[in-house]
Amino acid sequence: MKARISIPAQANKGDVLEIKTLVSHPMHSGFRRDAIGALVPRDIIKVFRCEYRERVVFEAEFGPGTAANPFLSFYIRADRSGEVKFIWVDQHGEQTEQVKLLEVVDKIK
Amino acid sequence: MKRRTVIVGAAVGLAVQLVPSVLAGKLKKTVSEFYGQENITAGRVHLKTPPLAENGNSVSLVVEVDSPMTEKNYVQEIRIFADKNPVPNLASYRLSPDSGKAKVATRIRLSNSQIIVAVARMNDGTLWSGSSETIVTLAACVEPLL
Amino acid sequence: MKAVPLLLSLLVMVEATVAIASDTTALPRSGYEFQSSDTQSLQDDDFKNPGMLWVDMGKIRYSEPAGSTGQSCADCHRDLPESVAVSFPKNNRHLGVVVDLTSQIQHCRTVHQKAESFEYESEASLALTVYLGSLSRGQAFQPVDSYPQDQLKASIDNGRLYFNRRKGQLNLSCGNCHEESVGKMLRGDLISQGHSNGYPIYRLEWQSLGSLHRRFRSCDIGVRAQPHDLGSATYIDLEAYLRERGAKLTVETPAVRR
């Protein structure tokens, strides 16, 4: 799974940041048939998690109804500098993880 | 280009008028099967999908819930239902006060023209809903995989 | 209840038909103009465009050492012009045939890098092809330096014949749809002029990036004709003709189409 992540490198404390993710995955629903008519078995990402400040700030449960190469946009509130972890888990339990560093500064008063 | 914008605008306007504010029929059954006897109030949840999708494989979905997203008052979970899909319980998103904003955007699959519903659970336990209707047009040739 | 939104959507489609069905021998129109605004917005957003996932992969591969030579593409092609993709199909004088970009990459890989060949539609092959194509984004589809078209003349002529020849059980030529029926509806599809300026494309129907030759196969299967192989001379000739036919367009690789 290759992932693209869009997150500001720096933010002011209290800012609400939009995070965008795009990950390569066919998300085979299990309902489509191949060229000879056989069902292509389900093969999907099941869970996406974003961890920040040592806790899960956002979690998504994907299903066969999520489009292939899933795009997801969500928000987090910047509080303190640290790692923002992005974790995708597929139905086989295989995990893909990416980490981005977020620098949070106090607003200039 | 302008003519098309006006007509699409009219189409969207009318579609919004026609979207039922109360869940009806099979869709209501799908949602209530999940939430049981709990009361769901229509409102606070703004679900946006295009009125016309030229391919059901990838349809844009944006859901936003009115909420200050503080420790005392936040959206816990948003669930998406599409009852004409083979798996009607389409996706769910769990938020936290650290989310800052209760807004999620993604792309979904729709197997048919239908009304899509989003149900949000607040931290006080209440349930709120919003819906959107999308017409999915059929491709000319549904081709086999290579 | 359902009839009214359906009627309105039909109105939208009819309106679109009226606006677009015009003289196709005039300025060529990119397939982009025939997509819904939702699909167009996917192409316009460099982050959301799923085709960019393959561009990312291609960029990495381009600098990766490969084969027994341990050389990467970048090692040899230090000053690769951004317009390189647009110059294909072209005559490869070593091979003595007209090649498309993907076949050229395969040739480089097996002969110069001494590595295993890629399958035409494999992820690796598509990634490199789309990466190189993306470098030409926004440029004219017409190759610069007045690329010697006469070297390709026979290829383009063959391609033109194929384009205009009726084929398959449905007995349709490419031109029957993409010249004579532009702007008309084929079920839910608005028929475009069938240009190739966005390839390789992310096709919603495929839920993946795919090559131009894959699209040719789909169309041939669609009219119930015998499809040709990916990378075949027939499809390379057709690709050469489409390049000339769409010369006034700009490159949109990786485009998003339904």
Side-chain angles (χ1 to χ4, degrees), chain A residues 21 23 27 44-49 58-67 69-72 88-89, chain B residues 89-93 106:
Chain A
T21 64
V23 63
M27 295 292 284
I44 60 171
I45 298 172
K46 292 212 82 175
V47 172
F48 165 77
R49 232 177 11 249
F58 177 82
E59 192 169 2
E61 210 176 278
F62 293 168
T66 298
N69 303 301
F71 166 77
L72 192 61
W88 291 265
V89 188
Chain B
N89 204 335
L90 199 142
S92 68
Y93 308 105
T106 187

Side-chain angles (χ1 to χ4, degrees), chain C residues 178-200:
Chain C
H178 295 297
E179 289 278 338
E180 296 159 31
S181 310
V182 174
K184 292 193 184 149
M185 299 299 297
L186 192 64
R187 267 179 136 185
D189 276 339
L190 187 63
I191 299 175
S192 72
Q193 291 187 354
H195 288 293
S196 55
N197 60 313
Y199 278 82

Side-chain angles (χ1 to χ4, degrees), chain B residues 75-109:
Chain B
V75 177
Q76 265 183 355
E77 184 189 74
I78 305 171
R79 254 180 206 279
I80 313 290
F81 296 91
D83 78 308
K84 297 240 175 81
N85 274 14
V87 178
N89 204 335
L90 199 142
S92 68
Y93 308 105
R94 259 172 296 291
L95 288 77
S96 66
D98 298 322
S99 296
K101 193 170 178 179
K103 184 175 177 185
V104 177
T106 187
R107 296 191 73 91
I108 61 169
R109 289 180 174 138

Side-chain angles (χ1 to χ4, degrees), chain C residues 118-144:
Chain C
F118 294 134
E119 289 232 359
Y120 194 96
E121 203 73 14
S122 64
E123 185 185 90
S125 173
L126 284 170
L128 280 169
T129 308
V130 76
Y131 166 61
L132 292 175
S134 72
L135 297 177
S136 308
R137 208 154 49 138
Q139 291 182 25
F141 198 33
Q142 175 71 45
V144 294

Side-chain angles (χ1 to χ4, degrees), chain B residues 3-4 7-8 11 14 18 50 52 54-55 57-58 60 84 107 109 133 135 138-140 142-143 146, chain C residues 1-2 5 8-9 12 15 35-36 38-39 42 121 186-189 203-207 218 258:
Chain B
R3 250 189 310 163
R4 194 193 303 185
I7 291 185
V8 171
L14 257 158
L18 292 166
L52 199 66
E54 61 182 344
N55 194 300
N57 281 331
S58 180
S60 143
K84 297 240 175 81
R107 296 191 73 91
R109 289 180 174 138
E133 181 160 18
I135 291 167
L138 259 177
V142 180
E143 48 182 273
L146 193 76
Chain C
M1 186 68 152
K2 283 257 153 75
L8 284 162
S9 68
V12 171
E15 198 277 333
Q35 308 303 305
S36 71
D38 189 27
T39 306
L42 252 189
E121 203 73 14
L186 192 64
R187 267 179 136 185
D189 276 339
R203 191 155 190 243
L204 299 183
E205 183 59 39
W206 296 331
Q207 301 190 82
S218 310
R258 62 175 169 270

